[in-house]
């Protein structure tokens, strides 16, 4: 019995030491991946990296991690327009089946899914008139988008200021619109034209109310998948395959 007790004590002690070693190793690996992501993606802050699954060391021995989560508070994505970018807030991605090279210099996830937010002020920059000034709808009528907000029921509210025959309308006009994703582009399209108090041909105001924002260069090559209207902005879903985690 004494020998059995000693054996159990040794086993528990070794098990505890293994757990401690495993947690220390995963903590080191998370910090290393975070630092490499910061460098490779040109981030201003260090991302949050969480390597899930236990034990970590046996996953390393097998050359593949089951589940890695990455969180980036603010990411500057490219827009396809020279010198312009768009800020993506709270980008969170979950990587599955992450295989890494023998020297641990890079890793690739078989699949990735995630979410992020584009605030309304940031998306507003994409409107043609938001920064360049009013757009001529027809001779004598100019307008510009001055605000975006949650319109309720999954719709975005587009607020427009207009000048008709030299007179600025007393109040901005708002219409509800639809937000969608087409490839790497977020699109905003008004459901109905704004009423400026003058008769206009169908579709003429879309030069102001409808706009789109290309978003590419997301970390690891993940892509836009879906978008929906939220309180503070539009929430986007992203996904990808063979996604580079660090390099």
């Amino acid at each position: 019995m004494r020998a059995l007790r000693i054996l159990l004590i040794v086993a528990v002690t070794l098990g505890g030491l293994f757990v401690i070693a495993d947690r220390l190793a995963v903590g080191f690996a998370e910090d290393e991946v975070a630092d490499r992501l910061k460098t490779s993606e040109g981030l201003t802050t260090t991302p949050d990296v969480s390597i899930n699954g236990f034990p970590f060391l046996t996953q390393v021995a097998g050359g593949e991690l089951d589940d890695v989560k990455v969180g980036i508070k603010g990411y500057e994505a490219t827009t396809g327009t020279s010198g312009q970018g768009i800020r993506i807030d709270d980008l969170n991605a979950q990587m599955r089946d992450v295989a890494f090279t023998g020297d641990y210099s890079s890793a690739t996830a078989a699949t990735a899914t995630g979410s992020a937010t584009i605030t309304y002020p940031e998306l507003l920059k994409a409107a043609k008139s938001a920064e360049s000034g009013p757009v001529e709808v027809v001779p004598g009528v100019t307008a510009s988008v001055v605000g975006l907000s949650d319109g309720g029921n999954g719709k975005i509210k587009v607020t427009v200021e207009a000048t008709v025959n030299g007179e600025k309308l007393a109040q901005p006009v708002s219409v509800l619109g639809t937000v969608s994703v087409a490839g790497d582009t977020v699109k905003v399209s008004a459901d109905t034209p704004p009423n400026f108090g003058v008769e206009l041909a169908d579709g003429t105001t879309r030069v102001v109310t409808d706009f789109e924002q290309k978003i590419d260069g997301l970390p690891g090559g993940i892509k836009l998948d879906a978008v929906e209207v939220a309180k503070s902005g539009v929430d986007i879903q992203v996904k990808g395959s063979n996604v580079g985690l660090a390099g």
Side-chain angles (χ1 to χ4, degrees):
M1 288 295 292
R2 185 171 181 274
L4 180 58
R5 279 200 303 272
I6 293 174
L7 180 61
L8 288 173
I9 291 171
V10 170
V12 170
T13 301
L14 290 176
L17 291 174
F18 175 78
V19 171
I20 292 172
D22 191 80
R23 294 302 88 192
L24 289 173
V26 76
F28 174 81
E30 288 170 345
D31 291 343
E32 185 70 15
V33 171
D35 288 340
R36 290 192 182 186
L37 275 174
K38 181 180 180 180
T39 300
S40 63
E41 298 295 339
L43 304 177
T44 56
T45 60
T46 303
D48 295 324
V49 175
S50 176
I51 299 175
N52 301 311
F54 180 83
F56 166 71
L57 291 174
T58 57
Q59 294 182 66
V60 173
E64 185 174 286
L65 304 177
D66 298 334
D67 179 12
V68 178
K69 293 181 180 178
V70 177
I72 303 174
K73 292 298 182 183
Y75 183 82
E76 291 291 333
T78 56
T79 63
T81 302
S82 179
Q84 292 188 2
I86 185 167
R87 180 181 172 86
I88 309 294
D89 288 334
D90 298 324
L91 176 59
N92 294 286
Q94 183 173 30
M95 316 287 188
R96 296 284 191 180
D97 302 325
V98 180
F100 46 85
T101 57
D103 60 359
Y104 308 108
S105 62
S106 63
T108 302
T111 61
T113 57
S115 62
T117 298
I118 303 174
T119 64
Y120 289 122
E122 197 69 18
L123 185 60
L124 181 62
K125 296 177 183 178
K128 295 178 183 178
S129 56
E131 294 185 346
S132 60
V135 173
E136 185 177 64
V137 179
V138 295
V141 178
T142 60
S144 59
V145 177
V146 295
L148 301 173
S149 58
D150 180 10
N153 297 317
K155 296 293 183 178
I156 189 170
K157 183 166 73 172
V158 182
T159 301
V160 181
E161 285 185 348
T163 298
V164 179
N165 297 325
E167 294 291 332
K168 185 176 180 179
L169 297 186
Q171 296 292 333
V173 178
S174 295
V175 294
L176 296 180
T178 299
V179 182
S180 61
V181 164
D184 59 2
T185 302
V186 175
K187 295 186 174 184
V188 176
S189 179
D191 295 346
T192 57
N195 182 5
F196 297 148
V198 293
E199 187 174 345
L200 298 172
D202 289 345
T204 54
T205 58
R206 291 196 178 278
V207 69
V208 178
T209 59
D210 295 13
F211 59 92
E212 58 186 46
Q213 177 64 75
K214 182 178 180 181
I215 300 173
D216 55 16
L218 292 174
I222 54 177
K223 302 294 184 182
L224 299 181
D225 183 42
V227 63
E228 62 180 15
V229 175
K231 290 295 182 183
S232 60
V234 293
D235 290 342
I236 59 175
Q237 301 296 317
V238 296
K239 68 177 182 179
S241 56
N242 297 320
V243 174
L245 183 58

